[in-house]
């Protein structure tokens, strides 16, 4: 990838920036998913279900998100919550696909398809709770069903970070041991439910299982106050501790109730713990006091800032585009080449470049790394691309790790400032045949720690399997040494899926995740937006 240019100065048009990423939405909606009556193809075992949410755009289905995998469950209630934007004026078609994920591989390639349900977001929102049969191949309905519950978010976007531990397995004031498998230790996990006004319960979070341990320390987790308690600090929360079993029939250890108001007391230095009560033992055993205690180790309220907060605080998007000039594209003088300049119609590289660039140019200016001058909008970029084609020799191999490392180097310098001043986005236009997969994986894992995102648009009809692996949607991307990405920063889009769609459709698809990626990075680092007054005093204007 020899040709790269940078776009910057997003500050001057924050409103336009928001416009190219998404149109004003009516509201944000949380979707919770549960299934019932799932049957495995293997009659001797229960499935390991996972639900993939897809959204339709211009006739194509694109993955939005997916739930966790629940082992050995025929009626799973997923703790993963889908957050989607609801546009009243649009028909937003959704598809929920249920897959049986094997224990050895969390990806979908070797998974069994168990059924799917299609509906519109409007149907779920209007009914609040939608239950439909899961249709198998050939649209035949089986006995399994899926229930999707919608909840509109209130104005509070703050999060709370919580960490719990426990001392389980015996009554702390007597010699009674209530757990069935006490002598073989236990495999505890914790579930937190919110009690709703209508008497129903909503699963807020399910911890990981700590194997063979009566003193588990569960990993800390973050959850929005909307999800936890609907913004009501006095709302009851039910917490349940289970002993995990591989057959899915988990043993009940005990439960307790609390409120967010009580959780917050930990911030004042108070030690918060609860007796874990099993009502059955409480009724039958005279000497029973509890099945142990659950301890709150940590409670921290995290102020969540929006994309607009960061943009208006002076954060600039440094937008770099890399174009694949390698031999696999074909000789530009040949009409079969992906780089061939047709006198009457643009090639796919130009179509992709213009589709994204025209949306961006209102709020960004372009800078070339090699010739060091500002382009006159997207037309200047197009002219530079066309002018350089006759002057360069296409060759191999196709290595994209170097350009990722180059942008990551600049992002690393920004990271050390510990301020929200620059976020880096790399757009790679390529024919998809890359030769440095190991180095690219390593570079992406490193970049996932930085204020940086990577968008890849695949041009032509090549095999894009490698690019889809880099996307990370099908499992977790890892470096050759096994290190996982800190966050999913790569989005891959094949241009062929947008050949017959409007130019805006491609731009919307590749840029839709940008706001959340910016916000997620800075919020995770605890970096606040700069005040407008602070930014204005230090800001210099380019001519």
């Amino acid at each position: 990838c020899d040709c790269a240019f940078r776009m910057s100065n997003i500050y001057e048009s924050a409103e336009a920036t928001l416009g190219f990423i998404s149109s004003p939405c009516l509201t944000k909606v949380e979707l919770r998913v549960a299934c019932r009556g799932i049957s495995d193809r293997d009659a001797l075992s229960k499935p390991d279900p996972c639900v993939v949410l897809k959204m339709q755009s211009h006739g194509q289905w694109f993955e939005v998100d997916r739930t966790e995998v629940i082992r050995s469950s025929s009626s799973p209630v997923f703790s993963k919550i889908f957050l989607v934007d609801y546009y009243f004026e649009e028909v937003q078609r959704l598809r929920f696909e249920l897959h049986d994920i094997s224990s050895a591989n969390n990806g979908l390639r070797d998974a069994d398809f168990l059924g799917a349900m299609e509906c519109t977001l409007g149907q779920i929102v209007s009914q609040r709770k939608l239950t439909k049969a899961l249709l198998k191949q050939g649209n035949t309905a089986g006995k399994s069903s899926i229930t999707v519950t919608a909840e509109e978010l209130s104005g509070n976007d703050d999060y709370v970070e919580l960490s719990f531990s426990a001392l389980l397995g015996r009554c702390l004031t007597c010699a009674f041991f209530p757990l069935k498998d006490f002598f073989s230790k236990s495999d505890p996990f914790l579930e937190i439910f919110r009690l709703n006004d209508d008497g129903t319960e909503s699963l807020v979070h399910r911890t990981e299982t700590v194997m063979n341990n009566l003193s588990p320390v569960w990993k800390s987790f973050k959850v929005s106050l909307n999800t936890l308690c609907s913004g009501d600090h006095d709302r009851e929360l039910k917490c349940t501790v289970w002993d995990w079993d591989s057959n899915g029939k988990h043993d009940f250890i005990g439960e307790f109730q609390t409120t967010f108001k009580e959780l917050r007391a930990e911030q004042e230095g108070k030690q918060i713990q609860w007796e874990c009560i099993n009502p059955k033992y409480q009724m039958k055993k005279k000497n029973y006091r509890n099945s142990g205690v659950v301890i709150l180790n940590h409670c921290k309220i995290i102020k969540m800032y929006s994309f607009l907060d960061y943009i208006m605080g002076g954060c600039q998007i440094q937008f770099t585009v890399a174009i694949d000039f390698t031999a696999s594209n074909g000789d530009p003088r040949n009409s079969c080449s992906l780089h061939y300049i047709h006198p009457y119609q643009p090639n796919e590289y130009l179509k992709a470049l213009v589709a994204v660039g025209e949306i961006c140019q209102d709020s960004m200016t372009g800078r070339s790394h090699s010739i060091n001058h500002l382009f006159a909008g997207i037309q200047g970029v197009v002219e530079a691309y066309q002018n350089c084609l006759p002057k360069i020799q296409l060759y191999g191999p196709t290595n994209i790790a170097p350009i990722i490392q180059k942008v990551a180097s600049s992002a690393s310098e920004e990271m050390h400032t510990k301020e929200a001043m620059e976020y880096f986005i790399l757009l790679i236009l390529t024919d998809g045949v890359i030769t440095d997969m190991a180095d690219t994986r390593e570079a992406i894992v490193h970049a996932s720690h930085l204020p940086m995102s990577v968008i890849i648009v695949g041009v032509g009809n090549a095999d894009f399997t490698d690019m889809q692996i880099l996307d990370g949607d099908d499992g977790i991307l890892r470096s050759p040494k096994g290190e996982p990405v800190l966050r999913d920063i790569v989005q891959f889009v094949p241009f062929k899926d947008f050949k017959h769609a409007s130019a805006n459709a491609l731009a919307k698809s590749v840029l839709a995740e940008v706001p959340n990626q910016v916000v997620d990075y800075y919020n995770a680092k605890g970096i606040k937006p700069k005040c407008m007054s602070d930014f204005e005093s230090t800001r210099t204007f380019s001519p």
Side-chain angles (χ1 to χ4, degrees), residues 44-262:
L44 299 179
S45 64
K46 292 182 178 180
D48 300 328
C50 171
V51 171
V52 176
L53 171 62
K54 294 184 176 181
M55 185 172 289
Q56 192 178 68
S57 177
H58 301 277
Q60 300 288 330
W61 290 106
F62 298 95
E63 179 173 341
V64 175
D65 208 345
R66 63 178 64 179
T67 68
E68 75 278 16
V69 177
I70 298 181
R71 301 299 177 193
S72 301
S73 179
S74 57
S75 296
V77 178
F78 298 97
S79 63
K80 170 70 177 183
I81 296 173
F82 297 130
L83 181 63
V84 295
D85 291 335
Y86 172 52
Y87 301 89
F88 177 77
E89 70 278 9
E90 294 183 14
V91 176
Q92 296 169 267
R93 301 192 182 279
L94 304 180
R95 177 179 171 88
F96 296 84
E97 293 183 357
L98 181 65
H99 297 268
D100 181 10
I101 308 290
S102 65
S103 299
N105 178 18
N106 277 339
L108 295 181
R109 289 183 180 83
D110 300 321
D112 291 331
F113 174 76
L114 300 181
M117 183 270 282
E118 294 182 12
C119 63
T120 66
L121 182 55
Q123 288 176 310
I124 303 174
V125 170
S126 62
Q127 298 184 37
R128 296 290 181 180
K129 189 175 184 178
L130 177 66
T131 299
K132 295 183 70 174
L134 285 164
L135 301 182
K136 298 182 179 181
Q137 299 286 6
N139 287 333
T140 58
K143 296 181 180 179
S144 56
S145 64
I146 185 170
T147 298
V148 184
T149 306
E151 181 178 352
E152 180 181 338
L153 289 185
S154 61
N156 192 335
D157 292 331
D158 290 348
Y159 274 62
V160 59
E161 184 177 72
L162 298 169
S163 173
F164 293 90
S165 61
L167 298 172
L168 303 171
R170 64 181 181 276
C171 169
L172 297 185
T173 59
C174 63
F176 173 63
F177 297 97
L179 295 189
K180 294 179 181 178
D181 57 352
F182 169 73
F183 292 105
S184 62
K185 295 293 182 71
S186 190
D187 307 318
F189 66 93
L190 172 68
E191 290 183 328
I192 301 175
F193 293 86
R194 182 189 70 209
L195 304 186
N196 301 316
D197 295 335
D198 60 0
T200 61
E201 300 175 355
S202 296
L203 178 62
V204 170
H205 181 75
R206 180 186 294 117
T207 70
E208 78 283 5
T209 300
V210 179
M211 304 300 290
N212 199 32
N213 199 320
L214 292 176
S215 302
V217 179
W218 292 291
K219 294 178 182 178
S220 63
F221 61 92
K222 296 177 183 177
V223 62
S224 73
L225 284 180
N226 281 309
T227 299
L228 181 66
C229 60
S230 300
D232 179 2
H233 293 195
D234 293 314
R235 183 177 295 276
E236 289 289 331
L237 305 173
K238 187 179 82 171
C239 304
T240 308
V241 182
W242 297 88
D243 179 13
W244 180 85
D245 274 333
S246 59
N247 63 5
K249 296 180 179 179
H250 311 307
D251 296 322
F252 176 70
I253 295 177
E255 64 184 11
F256 61 92
Q257 289 195 344
T258 185
T259 64
F260 178 62
K261 184 177 181 179
E262 185 178 17

Side-chain angles (χ1 to χ4, degrees), residues 278-331:
N278 186 321
K280 183 176 70 173
Y281 288 129
Q282 195 175 40
M283 292 281 291
K284 294 183 177 180
K285 307 292 183 179
K286 291 182 179 180
N287 295 329
Y288 177 81
R289 288 287 301 277
N290 58 54
S291 299
V293 295
V294 175
I295 304 160
L296 176 63
N297 299 324
H298 175 72
C299 176
K300 179 183 178 182
I301 298 176
I302 302 172
K303 172 67 178 175
M304 299 298 290
Y305 297 96
S306 69
F307 179 64
L308 185 58
D309 288 333
Y310 286 103
I311 296 302
M312 298 306 292
C315 182
Q316 296 184 347
I317 301 297
Q318 301 294 342
F319 199 87
T320 303
V321 176
I323 299 177
D324 183 350
F325 280 167
T326 51
S328 57
N329 287 276
D331 188 338

Side-chain angles (χ1 to χ4, degrees), residues 261-279:
K261 184 177 181 179
E262 185 178 17
L263 297 176
R264 287 192 62 176
E266 192 275 338
Q267 293 183 305
E268 302 170 3
K270 297 180 181 178
Q271 184 180 19
I272 309 296
Q273 64 181 39
W274 303 267
E275 289 185 296
C276 193
I277 303 298
N278 186 321

Side-chain angles (χ1 to χ4, degrees), residues 1-7 318-322 366-375 403 406-407 410 424-426:
C1 301
D2 283 4
C3 177
F5 63 86
R6 175 177 292 186
M7 295 179 173
Q318 301 294 342
F319 199 87
T320 303
V321 176
R367 182 179 297 277
S368 166
H369 287 306
S370 56
I371 56 179
N372 197 31
H373 73 268
L374 290 176
F375 292 114
I403 186 62
K406 183 178 182 65
V407 176
S410 299
F424 295 78
I425 296 175
L426 170 60

